[in-house]
Amino acid sequence: MDTNTVNYQEEKKIYYKVLVGLLLLTAVTFVQPGLFMTHSTFLAQMLIAVTKGWLIVMYYMHLKGEKLITAMVWFALALVTVFFIIVIGIDVVNFQFGAESHITAPAAHTAHAAH
């Protein structure tokens, strides 16, 4: 008996489920800013994007059973996250246009500028 036999009908069902999941997540991407997590839209959008990326990598790139590649992906993600935090931390400390920014400017300054 051949143990390498693949049931393509079952595989096709899985791919369609992943496709429907990706389409639903894409729809959630568009409606999320007005429905939920409105104060942390960036976080919600990033979580949706990471979920979609994970689905694509695991199923469409056939990396679901790969242990070493999965470990390397997590390592690379952690490395990029550390560098991102370092760069953003340096940038925030050295931000030159704090008085002109609508995010960091004092409330009285922004209220006065709106008039």
Side-chain angles (χ1 to χ4, degrees):
M1 181 172 188
D2 186 17
T3 58
N4 293 327
T5 305
V6 176
N7 185 349
Y8 289 108
Q9 295 304 320
E10 292 297 320
E11 290 280 326
K12 193 187 317 184
K13 288 179 186 177
I14 292 172
Y15 289 128
Y16 282 131
K17 288 178 184 177
V18 171
L19 176 64
V20 168
L22 289 169
L23 292 172
L24 287 173
L25 285 170
T26 301
V28 169
T29 301
F30 285 104
V31 299
Q32 176 274 322
L35 293 182
F36 61 93
M37 291 181 71
T38 56
H39 296 298
S40 57
T41 299
F42 179 76
L43 176 64
Q45 295 287 319
M46 289 306 292
L47 289 173
I48 294 168
V50 167
T51 304
K52 288 170 58 176
W54 181 82
L55 284 171
I56 290 168
V57 166
M58 290 297 135
Y59 289 96
Y60 291 131
M61 295 179 71
H62 308 286
L63 299 180
K64 187 171 64 168
E66 299 290 333
K67 301 294 182 204
L68 179 62
I69 291 176
T70 303
M72 292 306 292
V73 166
W74 282 109
F75 174 73
L77 178 65
L79 192 64
V80 168
T81 302
V82 166
F83 283 128
F84 179 76
I85 290 171
I86 290 170
V87 168
I88 293 299
I90 292 170
D91 190 44
V92 166
V93 170
N94 297 320
F95 187 58
Q96 299 174 14
F97 303 105
E100 292 86 6
S101 173
H102 68 282
I103 297 171
T104 58
H109 178 70
T110 56
H112 180 64
H115 291 242

